[in-house]
Amino acid sequence: MIVILDPLIQKTSEEYRHILAYLDNLPQIEHRVHEVQGEQQTLTEIYLLGKTVSLSKEDIEALPGVERVVRVSQPYRILGRHAEDDNRSSSFEYNGVTFSQNNLHVFAGLCAVDTPQHVELMMKGLQENGQVCTRMGAYKPRTNPYSFQGHGKKCLNYVFELAGKYGIKVIAMEVTHEIHIEEIRQALEQTGQPTGVMLQIGTRNTQNFELLKHAGRQQEFPILIKRGFGITLEESLNAAEYLASEGNHKVIFALRGMKGEMGNPHRNLVDFSHVPVVKRLTRMPICIDPSHSVGTRARAPDGLLEIQHATAQGVIAGANMILVDFHPHPKKALVDGPQALLMNELPGFLEDIQISRDAYEKRLAKK
Ligand code: PEP
Ligand code: MN
């Protein structure tokens, strides 16, 4: 059960104290208070855990200072879309960029940071194409222990400075350990906050619960969590809920394909038909990662790259974010060069996305 308080309520008020005292007295019920930073105001939501079936929604709703009470209809209490509460906002703002289930942002960038020159060429290309978001991997989880593991904190300062120079507002950056969050925070501070970072939890860490708890406990950075490549959708959505249950509601869920022989000859089996499914179950904006799903630059007989086809499939299904690998010199890339798109393909890629997005919006307008 979720108790949503009047947005104007003061924490020091008698009403607030009375509500908490009332909830404290409910037998076998635990409660957790969450502050939700909305676009205009901070909302206070109180999550009731335990034997809530026997509670009277009307009694709680009658308490002064309570706006409404929502019965939770499925397990993702915070991020879920509940039957009684279909319209609760799912959007959030970070560093001037709004993320929601209704818009679309492209995060084209390097799978892994290699040289400052490549980072600069990437950022410059993005600015020339009107982009304010990117992806940059500094901490790379690799299958083989002898493979390049990413430059780690050594590269953060120049990545952030270059981002600032080219007007980049949000960088999706994977973290594989809680220490990385602190390193990112420090580098942003040292460089004077020239940009923002969206922490990325990769598919290999979707169920790394301690990492999820750490990432969820901070509210400075939003979080992009990837679907686990070998677990059920429900398990992955519960992993996202871990982040929110620790306090961070700025969560985006990424589809990146599922592992298995069935995906061949793609790197993973593309799962973008689940975009509307995740939207139905939760209020999170949904990201698609066509690069790590398809994993090759194979071209279909119609002349389009299979990565472009997969992107279009996700966009027409209503995706809100696209994470995609580009590289100025893919042959020199230290990670995932074979799936990277080229800088001169960026304008056409963006145009292609717009065609699919327009088609999606046209379909919605027809309803
Ligand atoms: C990535 O986006 O760089 C990455 C490693 O993706 P995934 O976790 O989906 O494999
Ligand atoms: Mn990669």
Side-chain angles (χ1 to χ4, degrees):
M1 205 174 239
I2 308 172
V3 182
I4 300 167
L5 303 190
D6 187 326
L8 299 175
I9 197 164
Q10 298 290 323
K11 275 194 156 160
T12 48
S13 66
E14 193 47 47
E15 286 169 343
Y16 187 86
R17 266 198 294 271
H18 182 244
I19 294 167
L20 286 195
Y22 180 93
L23 298 177
D24 275 339
N25 273 331
L26 294 173
Q28 296 179 51
I29 301 287
E30 237 189 88
H31 60 80
R32 290 192 198 170
V33 180
H34 280 266
E35 308 272 321
V36 186
Q37 191 58 53
E39 271 166 53
Q40 264 116 48
Q41 56 205 6
T42 304
L43 288 178
T44 306
E45 297 186 345
I46 306 179
Y47 295 84
L48 305 189
L49 312 174
K51 286 202 165 181
T52 54
V53 264
S54 52
L55 294 181
S56 154
K57 180 176 157 172
E58 291 71 27
D59 283 357
I60 303 175
E61 246 161 6
L63 297 171
V66 171
E67 188 178 272
R68 65 205 159 93
V69 174
V70 175
R71 267 198 198 280
V72 170
S73 56
Q74 36 100 340
Y76 324 117
R77 286 163 200 265
I78 302 176
L79 297 173
R81 183 177 291 288
H82 302 296
E84 280 185 10
D85 193 27
D86 213 22
N87 290 323
R88 209 144 49 106
S89 162
S90 63
S91 74
F92 66 85
E93 204 236 51
Y94 175 65
N95 208 24
V97 183
T98 300
F99 296 91
S100 88
Q101 283 196 341
N102 303 318
N103 64 10
L104 176 61
H105 296 288
V106 180
F107 282 61
L110 304 182
C111 176
V113 171
D114 40 39
T115 67
Q117 292 73 23
H118 291 155
V119 173
E120 179 145 26
L121 285 170
M122 188 69 233
M123 305 275 192
K124 188 164 178 285
L126 289 168
Q127 188 182 52
E128 284 164 4
N129 285 279
Q131 299 302 299
V132 295
C133 300
T134 189
R135 58 158 295 146
M136 289 280 149
Y139 308 97
K140 300 303 300 177
R142 305 304 302 280
T143 305
N144 185 317
Y146 308 112
S147 303
F148 172 64
Q149 306 281 310
H151 287 312
K153 73 172 174 185
K154 280 203 309 272
C155 68
L156 297 182
N157 285 26
Y158 71 75
V159 168
F160 296 160
E161 278 161 1
L162 287 166
K165 177 172 171 190
Y166 293 102
I168 299 295
K169 302 214 163 300
V170 188
I171 304 175
M173 182 174 276
E174 180 163 359
V175 291
T176 59
H177 192 281
E178 69 203 60
I179 280 175
H180 303 156
I181 305 175
E182 196 43 47
E183 290 175 357
I184 289 170
R185 190 180 283 126
Q186 279 173 14
L188 282 170
E189 213 174 283
Q190 277 165 19
T191 51
Q193 313 286 347
T195 188
V197 171
M198 178 182 284
L199 304 176
Q200 185 177 321
I201 308 276
T203 195
R204 292 159 190 80
N205 276 313
T206 308
Q207 284 188 312
N208 180 342
F209 299 117
E210 295 310 313
L211 178 63
L212 296 177
K213 286 183 202 166
H214 272 97
R217 268 175 215 148
Q218 61 75 40
Q219 298 199 27
E220 185 177 350
F221 307 111
I223 306 166
L224 175 67
I225 180 167
K226 296 247 187 139
R227 178 182 193 167
F229 56 31
I231 56 177
T232 64
L233 180 62
E234 192 185 344
E235 285 163 334
S236 289
L237 295 178
N238 269 302
E241 182 74 10
Y242 256 90
L243 300 166
S245 77
E246 293 292 335
N248 194 329
H249 297 212
K250 296 181 179 179
V251 182
I252 297 181
F253 188 78
L255 298 171
R256 48 81 69 213
M258 300 301 289
K259 205 178 174 85
E261 289 310 304
M262 298 298 182
N264 282 343
H266 287 167
R267 186 170 168 180
N268 289 286
L269 185 64
V270 180
D271 55 352
F272 300 165
S273 57
H274 281 183
V275 169
V277 177
V278 184
K279 280 193 177 178
R280 168 166 60 77
L281 295 173
T282 79
R283 298 174 297 120
M284 288 183 277
I286 314 301
C287 172
I288 53 163
D289 179 343
S291 301
H292 290 84
S293 307
V294 173
T296 90
R297 284 184 50 90
R299 200 177 284 279
D302 58 15
L304 297 171
L305 292 168
E306 287 166 23
I307 287 181
Q308 268 177 291
H309 272 290
T311 305
Q313 288 156 16
V315 173
I316 203 139
N320 308 112
M321 171 171 164
I322 300 166
L323 195 69
V324 57
D325 290 1
F326 270 75
H327 200 287
H329 300 289
K331 287 212 165 68
K332 295 187 188 165
L334 298 177
V335 185
D336 284 350
Q339 71 191 22
L341 303 186
L342 309 170
M343 294 312 294
N344 64 12
E345 290 171 328
L346 182 58
F349 184 75
L350 294 171
E351 209 180 310
D352 205 36
I353 289 170
Q354 198 54 51
I355 292 171
S356 306
R357 180 70 192 178
D358 288 346
Y360 171 68
E361 284 178 0
K362 210 162 143 192
R363 285 169 74 187
L364 290 192
K366 196 163 75 72
K367 276 192 306 195

